[in-house]
């Protein structure tokens, strides 16, 4: 036996349930969107601060203190970058001091044989104050084949190179630089 009853209250409860389910889903969706926007702004802002710090240090070649970040990971990255910049700066200073105060002549040549730099000892020894001076061209012509060999990766020791009426003994080593 089947009976049909008017269950208006059950139907109203079901409609109310669906309406509240829709409201809750809409609220969850809105919270998710607002959270995503807020997180994106926060991460974007702190990431921009980190990127601006690195750009500032690289461009000015002056190390400043990293101001920090409210995001722990970005703060750690920034502190590590600051420490790395300080160490790199110290290594560059030590290398420059070694280069400038060495009693042995040191000359830096490009792969194409152009003289890039020379330390004060080399300037004094070869009596060259300007890289474009005539004495440099004579020296370059004499040592150019060995420079090209070194540019290919060879380390040359005890190379005798006549320059004018003198013979110089050279040790030539490649320094590879990634551009």
């Amino acid at each position: 036996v089947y009976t049909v009853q008017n269950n208006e209250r059950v139907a109203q409860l079901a409609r109310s349930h669906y309406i509240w389910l829709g409201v809750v889903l809409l609220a969850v969706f809105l919270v998710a969107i607002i959270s995503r926007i807020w997180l994106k702004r926060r991460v974007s802002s702190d990431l921009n601060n980190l990127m601006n710090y690195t750009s500032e240090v690289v461009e000015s070649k002056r190390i400043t203190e990293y101001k920090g970040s409210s995001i722990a990971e970005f703060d750690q990255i920034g502190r590590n970058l600051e420490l790395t910049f300080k160490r790199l700066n110290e290594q560059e200073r030590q290398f420059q001091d070694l280069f400038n105060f060495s009693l042995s002549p040191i000359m830096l040549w490009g792969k194409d044989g152009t003289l890039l730099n020379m330390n004060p000892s080399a300037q004094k020894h070869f009596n060259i104050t300007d890289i474009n001076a005539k004495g440099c061209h004579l020296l370059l012509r004499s040592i150019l084949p060995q420079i090209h060999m070194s540019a290919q990766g060879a380390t040359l020791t005890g190379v005798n190179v006549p320059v004018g009426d003198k013979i110089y003994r050279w040790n030539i080593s490649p320094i590879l630089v990634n551009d």
Side-chain angles (χ1 to χ4, degrees):
V1 174
Y2 290 103
T3 62
V4 178
Q5 294 180 350
N6 186 0
N7 290 330
E8 185 62 34
R9 289 183 179 224
V10 172
Q12 186 179 11
L13 179 65
R15 280 192 300 268
S16 175
H17 173 73
Y18 290 131
I19 290 172
W20 279 108
L21 183 64
V23 169
V24 168
L25 287 176
L26 182 62
V28 168
F29 183 71
L30 287 175
V31 167
I33 289 176
I34 291 170
S35 296
R36 178 175 164 76
I37 291 170
W38 176 75
L39 278 174
K40 183 179 177 184
R41 283 185 183 162
R42 181 173 174 209
V43 168
S44 180
S45 173
D46 282 0
L47 185 58
N48 282 337
N49 289 340
L50 184 61
M51 295 303 293
N52 289 338
Y53 170 74
T54 58
S55 296
E56 176 186 318
V57 170
V58 169
E59 289 172 8
S60 70
K61 295 187 180 185
R62 186 178 50 87
I63 299 170
T64 58
E65 183 179 348
Y66 179 63
K67 293 177 179 69
S69 171
S70 58
I71 299 175
E73 291 80 3
F74 287 171
D75 189 59
Q76 182 67 34
I77 292 169
R79 302 282 176 215
N80 287 341
L81 279 172
E82 179 183 357
L83 182 61
T84 301
F85 286 140
K86 286 179 180 178
R87 287 180 180 167
L88 181 61
N89 190 35
E90 180 63 23
Q91 288 176 350
E92 286 177 353
R93 189 188 59 74
Q94 289 174 350
F95 178 77
Q96 194 64 36
D97 287 348
L98 179 66
F99 181 79
N100 287 333
F101 299 114
S102 174
L103 298 176
S104 299
I106 300 174
M107 303 175 97
L108 298 176
W109 303 85
K111 284 184 177 183
D112 60 351
T114 57
L115 181 60
L116 302 174
N117 200 357
M118 66 174 68
N119 71 344
S121 180
Q123 291 174 348
K124 181 179 176 185
H125 188 78
F126 294 109
N127 197 23
I128 298 171
T129 57
D130 182 17
I131 291 177
N132 297 317
K134 181 182 175 188
C136 266
H137 297 297
L138 180 62
L139 180 63
L140 175 62
R141 280 198 308 268
S142 301
I143 201 167
L144 191 58
Q146 289 82 6
I147 291 171
H148 286 303
M149 287 174 58
S150 182
Q152 300 301 316
T155 299
L156 309 172
T157 58
V159 177
N160 294 324
V161 177
V163 178
D165 59 346
K166 295 181 181 179
I167 296 179
Y168 295 96
R169 181 176 287 272
W170 293 85
N171 293 323
I172 304 171
S173 298
I175 299 174
L176 303 176
V177 178
N178 295 332
D179 292 330

